[in-house]
Amino acid sequence: MADRTSGRNPDMSRIWRYSLVADNGMAPCAEQGILTLCLCKPMIRKSACVGEWVVGFVPRRINDGRVHVAWAGRIAKSVSMGDYEKGFSGREDAIYKLTESGWEFLRDDYHEGSRGRDLNGKNALIFERFWYWGGVGIAAPDDIADLAHYYVGQTAKNSSPERIARLEKWLRSGAEPGILGKPRDQLRTRLPR
């Protein structure tokens, strides 16, 4: 049965795609054997469901116009941002704490102008099976390159069971899942934990 509010079949999984313009270890945050998306991409964090895929593409300018994937993962859990900070305190991206008087920002040096947008995402996504290459990423074959999204924002349009199967096959044919590289950009400061 189709979801009347979005016109999408809730039984069909999606592949969310976007260009990972800033890759500094915060969004996504790959540490301690898990990958999370708790900052940036509020539409994905608000709308994506457990079992759906997210793929971050390296901006074309970095690889002379060639399509490279920075990371890909399947959503294992979606938790509220308040619950995320409680359960994952100490991670670099656990920067929003919900208190009785509202949101407390645990990092004054990060995302100062984007906090409202971050909080509009409502959820933190947790990936337990993921591939994070970071840096310049890994070259995508043609049947994956056609998923690339290099425009402002993100998309899940044209997701299909066939595209999901192609993505899964490609990921499984390469490296084992996990942290396979380092972020491309340096974070200006890191708070002592």
Side-chain angles (χ1 to χ4, degrees):
M1 171 170 229
D3 178 344
R4 291 181 203 179
T5 59
S6 67
R8 131 180 145 72
N9 180 344
D11 296 327
M12 189 181 95
S13 189
R14 296 177 286 189
I15 303 172
W16 291 90
R17 293 116 47 207
Y18 71 100
S19 180
L20 182 59
V21 175
D23 177 23
N24 56 25
M26 295 287 282
C29 179
E31 57 183 50
Q32 303 164 354
I34 61 171
L35 184 135
T36 53
L37 188 59
C38 183
L39 309 171
C40 298
K41 298 301 165 206
M43 180 185 286
I44 294 174
R45 294 185 297 106
K46 184 189 245 181
S47 304
C49 301
V50 170
E52 294 184 331
W53 288 87
V54 181
V55 180
F57 287 90
V58 177
R60 283 188 286 204
R61 65 180 161 69
I62 291 175
N63 291 313
D64 297 323
R66 293 170 292 159
V67 178
H68 283 219
V69 174
W71 76 278
R74 193 168 189 184
I75 302 167
K77 296 176 190 162
S78 177
V79 299
S80 73
M81 290 185 64
D83 288 343
Y84 178 74
E85 190 280 327
K86 289 176 191 171
F88 292 87
S89 177
R91 285 181 61 87
E92 287 291 330
D93 63 345
I95 66 172
Y96 297 103
K97 181 177 184 172
L98 187 57
T99 66
E100 288 182 18
S101 58
W103 290 101
E104 179 184 336
F105 305 102
L106 303 177
R107 286 191 70 140
D108 290 334
D109 65 328
Y110 188 76
H111 256 215
E112 187 174 349
S114 300
R115 291 176 181 164
R117 187 180 63 182
D118 277 347
L119 294 171
N120 281 337
K122 297 185 180 187
N123 300 313
L125 303 177
I126 301 165
F127 302 81
E128 292 173 351
R129 185 168 175 83
F130 65 90
W131 291 257
Y132 175 81
W133 292 278
V136 296
I138 186 170
D142 291 342
D143 60 341
I144 300 304
D146 72 345
L147 292 170
H149 182 75
Y150 289 114
Y151 308 99
V152 174
Q154 56 278 308
T155 189
K157 289 182 180 178
N158 300 321
S159 293
S160 69
E162 295 79 23
R163 284 180 171 230
I164 292 167
R166 283 192 326 226
L167 176 65
E168 289 178 358
K169 181 179 178 184
W170 174 66
L171 290 168
R172 289 188 181 123
S173 71
E176 288 293 315
I179 301 169
L180 307 166
K182 295 183 179 187
R184 177 180 65 241
D185 308 314
Q186 184 173 353
L187 189 59
R188 286 189 199 131
T189 60
R190 292 203 181 259
L191 294 181
R193 296 264 181 194

